[in-house]
Amino acid sequence: MKSFIIKDAKSEAAKIRIRAANAMNSNQVFQKAQQIVDDVAKRGDDAVSDYTRKLDGVHLKSPTVTRKEIEEAYTNVSNQQIRSIKLMRDRLRKTETSLLKRLFKEIKTASDGIITRRYVKPLQSVGCYIPGGKARYPSTVVMCVVPAKIAKVRRIVAASPPLKDGSIDPLTLVAADICGVDEFYKMGGAQGIAALALGTSTIERVSKIVGPGGVFATLAKILVSRNVSVDMVAGPTELLVYADSTSPSKLVALDIISQAEHGYETFCGLVTTSKRMAAEVSNDIEQLIRKGNINREEIVRKSLNENGFVAVAKDQSAAIAFANELAPEHLEILSTNARSISKRVTSAGLTLVGKYTPSSASDYCLGSNHVLPTMGLARSRSSLSVIDFLKVMNTVESSKGALSRVHWAIKEITSAEGLSNHYEAVKERLKGI
């Protein structure tokens, strides 16, 4: 892990962002993603099938998950696993329902003969991308599908890379069934995103794509955003832990390792006001890895060697400034006065407050959503929520009298902008006044 003293929060955060974005900014990777998207646009199902064979090593007769496969999946999961999925669903459902209740109210404004109305309606369809690769993510099914279901989206589609035997992880299928997915397709990466966005003979295009993913899926979301709405850049994952001299160093180390195991592109780090804490956390991480009793050791080690860091700030304000400049996906605050410090955070996808709120728990059962903005986008948005599955509808209605009272202003502005025909359309309606 890299260590440094924070001299300038903005420049140090920028350096980390540049390192983390290297894989995303590779011309070769970007061009490959573009090639796949373009090919799916031209050849549809055939292109999806070809890339699934080339990239995933799987030959499929059909990408569609059948009802029989879902029923078989139930026989390969335990009752405790099903209970866990339902607990996650219910916790998240409660959070999202509370938010929805505040949104489903028409806002009507009547003034001087003009009536405006604003209200929300659900999207007609959504595609939920569920990552695969080096891990399986039934939890992501819950995070994507539950808010869509609460919003009353009519058609919910899921897509995920198949396993080597051509199947989908059983618990992922069970989670999809429990949460209410209408269609499930065996396809991942850029080809899966492109098929959801553009449609094929088998797959009807969706109105919006949500969900996290690796480099190719993320780049594909950026590329297809010209054709379909997307939620955000959500991946690879990020964690910043803020700790002071009182924080338990082993917990900090374990939290960093827990996020680093997601993949090689993950970035995880510590910002602290204590040089002693910085040294202890670095030592704890090395000791935990050296003992060789952690899972996914190769991924953790490579992730931390390439993207891990420990930053020492001169004081609390400098540490918070660094966190806000970095705008991490997850920000843990493990220090005294954690709640008051959290109120000074302006840019984080999710802020986790206190010793008993690890990011690993928020990934599952705390009622928060783990689909979060990465690559610094936490400066402008937060987690996936029911809001992402709604659109604000606007109507305006004007009387003849109301239009006549503002026509002079319309004339002035349209003249200034050189759009005189705009005013002629108004003028014609007011003849005789």
Side-chain angles (χ1 to χ4, degrees), residues 167-189:
S167 68
I168 295 292
D169 168 65
L171 192 56
T172 299
L173 284 185
V174 168
D177 192 54
I178 288 171
C179 294
V181 167
D182 299 302
E183 304 164 29
F184 203 121
Y185 297 101
K186 304 172 187 178
M187 55 186 189

Side-chain angles (χ1 to χ4, degrees), residues 27-37 51 55 190 216:
N27 286 334
Q28 185 177 1
V29 174
F30 188 87
Q31 288 170 6
K32 182 63 177 177
Q34 180 73 72
Q35 176 188 332
I36 294 172
V37 170
Y51 288 114
L55 302 177
F216 279 100

